[in-house]
Amino acid sequence: MVLRHASGDEKHPTVLRRITGSFKSTPEPPDVVETKTRKLENTPNGFPRLAAFQSSEANFSLYRSFNYLHSRILLDLQDEITALEKELDDIDWDDFDEDPDRLRSREIDVAKAASEGDARNRRVILEEIRTKLLQYDEVLIKARTLESFQKPSDRNYRSVRRYHHNTKPLMDAEMDSIRSKEDIVSLRNGREWASFDGGVETMIGQLDHFLQKLFGCREPPLQKYFRTPELRAKTTNAYISLYSSSRIDKLINIMITLVIFVLLVIPVITMYLLTSESISQPSDGNAALNGTVSAHSNGVNSRTTFNAVGVLIVFTLLFSAAMSLVTKAARHELFAASAAYCAILVVFIGNLVVPA
């Protein structure tokens, strides 16, 4: 269901307005398109402004994982559970020798444990083991989840460090967390963020500032294409450029599509030009020269086939390098993609190279 906005007095539509009216959308009223954005400069300097900065962009959401402390807690719980396990084994063997019925019936064991008062029996130890295991499993699962978080790229980490250096939101003693680079994880999740992506964003920023100086613009001219109004409203700091990740992704997808297109078309055209000379060979009506022409044709065909294979090897290596550069494909994915690309070129060579 689509809700339409009530409007005031409307003029009687002309024929042209009736035809073009179906292609026009009614402008949204201001109270629908109005948005509220937290601005860095309107936030008190300190932890509030730092929180506003790190939440303004997913790449800046860098926090400590405290791997060392997780390991300490896990080791401590592990040792406690191990000691309880040994104590439980000792009680089991004692009851096996003195009262084996307690090991064969839970009801008997519970009844006798109740009559023992505050004595440390099997029921007490099992309850302690249950509590410790729940704590241990919770910390272990959380630690495993934290290990799956991505490490920030050097570019994003330096950006956050530059913000700390330029604005001094915290005292020096409070900055030990951001200095622990090996313990920092990123909350960014979604599109694979290879170094190529960061390079493209850096190139856009540099080009934007160059065009601003070149044409004397008040604002960088590429802002409206790569920065949403909400991102532009977050800060007026000239040293902070927040670009829309979705728009950067679209540009990168277009660039990757062009790279794949080039890597498919150029080798095909090159191999076609190399093998075209072996398709039509000069013929001579003199039968005495048939042997010479046949030998020449075989030599040309072998040479062009060898050249085509060389082109295949070169462009397969270029394709693998491009995959490694612009994506974060796993090793088996990279191998499968390269094998498929090579198979396409091999099929093309087989269709073009004609036996003499």
Side-chain angles (χ1 to χ4, degrees):
M1 182 176 64
V2 180
L3 298 179
R4 298 186 179 276
H5 304 287
S7 57
D9 298 336
E10 295 184 357
K11 298 180 180 180
H12 186 70
T14 62
V15 176
L16 181 60
R17 290 183 61 186
R18 289 179 180 179
I19 297 176
T20 59
S22 58
F23 300 100
K24 295 182 179 180
S25 58
T26 305
E28 297 287 355
D31 60 339
V32 174
V33 297
E34 181 185 9
T35 59
K36 182 179 180 180
T37 304
R38 180 180 290 275
K39 194 173 183 179
L40 295 182
E41 287 72 18
N42 293 340
T43 307
N45 193 25
F47 279 105
R49 185 174 297 182
L50 179 60
F53 169 75
Q54 293 193 217
S55 63
S56 64
E57 168 62 38
N59 290 323
F60 299 156
S61 298
L62 309 184
Y63 304 95
R64 286 192 65 181
S65 60
F66 294 102
N67 288 328
Y68 168 73
L69 294 181
H70 279 91
S71 298
R72 283 296 304 270
I73 296 298
L74 287 172
L75 288 175
D76 192 66
L77 289 172
Q78 176 182 270
D79 189 68
E80 291 182 8
I81 295 173
T82 302
L84 291 172
E85 182 183 22
K86 293 179 181 178
E87 189 176 2
L88 179 64
D89 290 338
D90 293 339
I91 292 179
D92 288 343
W93 281 110
D94 291 341
D95 287 340
F96 178 77
D97 296 332
E98 300 174 2
D99 192 358
D101 290 341
R102 296 187 65 168
L103 298 177
R104 301 173 61 188
S105 174
R106 179 180 175 277
E107 292 183 359
I108 294 176
D109 186 56
V110 172
K112 291 187 176 182
S115 63
E116 293 174 354
D118 296 333
R120 190 169 178 78
N121 50 50
R122 184 181 296 103
R123 294 294 107 193
V124 175
I125 296 174
L126 285 175
E127 184 62 29
E128 292 182 1
I129 290 176
R130 182 184 296 109
T131 303
K132 294 296 181 182
L133 277 178
L134 290 176
Q135 296 176 2
Y136 180 81
D137 292 345
E138 182 180 3
V139 177
L140 189 66
I141 293 173
K142 295 296 184 181
R144 178 63 184 87
T145 303
L146 284 174
E147 285 294 333
S148 64
F149 284 16
Q150 296 180 357
K151 293 290 184 180
S153 64
D154 291 338
R155 176 177 176 275
N156 294 332
Y157 178 75
R158 288 196 303 269
S159 296
V160 176
R161 290 298 299 267
R162 289 194 195 101
Y163 180 80
H164 279 266
H165 175 76
N166 294 334
T167 62
K168 299 291 189 300
L170 305 178
M171 295 183 178
D172 187 72
E174 305 287 342
M175 293 182 59
D176 288 341
S177 294
I178 194 62
R179 294 192 180 105
S180 304
K181 183 180 179 180
E182 63 178 1
D183 198 40
I184 298 293
V185 295
S186 175
L187 299 187
R188 179 180 175 83
N189 187 20
R191 189 192 186 280
E192 53 194 47
W193 195 259
S195 58
F196 178 75
D197 302 59
V200 170
E201 187 173 337
T202 301
M203 180 187 66
I204 292 175
Q206 294 175 351
L207 179 62
D208 207 7
H209 287 90
F210 173 76
L211 294 177
Q212 181 182 12
K213 293 181 179 179
L214 180 63
F215 297 104
C217 303
R218 296 184 58 184
E219 294 183 353
L222 299 180
Q223 271 193 359
K224 60 181 179 180
Y225 301 108
F226 295 101
R227 298 176 67 182
T228 62
E230 291 76 15
L231 289 175
R232 292 198 297 268
K234 283 186 176 182
T235 180
T236 56
N237 192 329
Y239 297 99
I240 300 178
S241 299
L242 302 175
Y243 292 97
S244 173
S245 299
S246 60
R247 297 185 181 185
I248 296 293
D249 287 346
K250 291 179 182 178
L251 174 63
I252 291 174
N253 290 335
I254 294 174
M255 297 175 65
I256 292 177
T257 302
L258 293 177
V259 169
I260 294 175
F261 176 78
V262 169
L263 290 177
L264 283 174
V265 171
I266 290 183
V268 168
I269 296 176
T270 304
M271 289 187 294
Y272 176 79
L273 295 176
L274 288 174
T275 56
S276 60
E277 63 180 15
S278 65
I279 297 178
S280 59
Q281 296 293 338
S283 59
D284 196 335
N286 191 352
L289 297 179
N290 285 341
T292 303
V293 172
S294 178
H296 175 73
S297 177
N298 289 334
V300 171
N301 195 35
S302 300
R303 187 167 58 253
T304 54
T305 302
F306 181 78
N307 293 337
V309 171
V311 172
L312 181 148
I313 294 174
V314 170
F315 277 92
T316 300
L317 292 176
L318 291 177
F319 178 83
S320 301
M323 285 285 293
S324 301
L325 178 63
V326 302
T327 68
K328 281 189 175 181
R331 294 179 180 176
H332 65 279
E333 296 172 341
L334 183 61
F335 178 81
S338 301
Y341 178 81
C342 184
I344 294 174
L345 298 185
V346 168
V347 171
F348 186 79
I349 292 177
N351 291 334
L352 282 184
V353 176
V354 181

